[in-house]
Amino acid sequence: MSENIILIGFMGAGKTSVGKRYANEYQIPFLDTDEYIEEMAGKKVSQIFKDSGEEEFRRMETEAVRSLFQKEGSHVISVGGGLPMREENRKLLKKLGTVVYLKVSADTVEKRLKGDTTRPLLMKENPRAEIERLLALRGPVYEDASHLIIETDDKDTEVIIEEIGRKVHQAKRGDSK
Ligand code: S3P
């Protein structure tokens, strides 16, 4: 059986950095849907948004998730912050492995992404308001899409990794969220 671990959560939650460290520690290959899409398209996510629009990017995300079923063995997979918003994607992710929601507050997101120009959705006059709006909309969806929830505010990556390892182990034994 596949033992994939899938990290979901808002932009700036640390999905990619936590995923890479976790994969390194447990010697499991790491995959990232944004990286997959960038390789397929031959351009950065922000350029895809500019050239083809968000809808086209969302279509590519679903294609990326579907392609993950072709991979052999276990992986740590980080997915873009908006990917779980499509119901089809949520169903696929839950089939693919253990879905871990890295939960983060608006304050932390704002701090971490200050000056960032790679997230087209936050290139707004008032990014803080957009972070709050999207977090309110997406929070319940992330919760619904996940098997496990990890609070990440004010925690070091090492602590988060240890918590994921422990909770994934517990979940396999049948304990709940
Ligand atoms: C998005 C999150 C980004 C990227 C794109 C859209 C979103 O990924 O997929 O900019 O809708 O939240 P990260 O969550 O890795 O920043």
Side-chain angles (χ1 to χ4, degrees), residues 9-13 15-16 32-34 37 45-46 49 54 57-58 61 78-83 85 113 118-122 134 138 142:
F10 203 75
M11 294 170 269
K15 302 179 294 287
T16 305
D32 180 289
T33 54
D34 282 344
I37 290 168
V45 168
S46 53
F49 269 71
E54 182 173 350
F57 175 73
R58 299 300 173 199
E61 283 191 315
S78 157
V79 310
L83 187 145
M85 299 309 288
L113 298 186
T118 65
R119 275 45 174 226
L121 293 186
L122 300 181
L134 285 174
R138 291 177 173 189
Y142 292 148

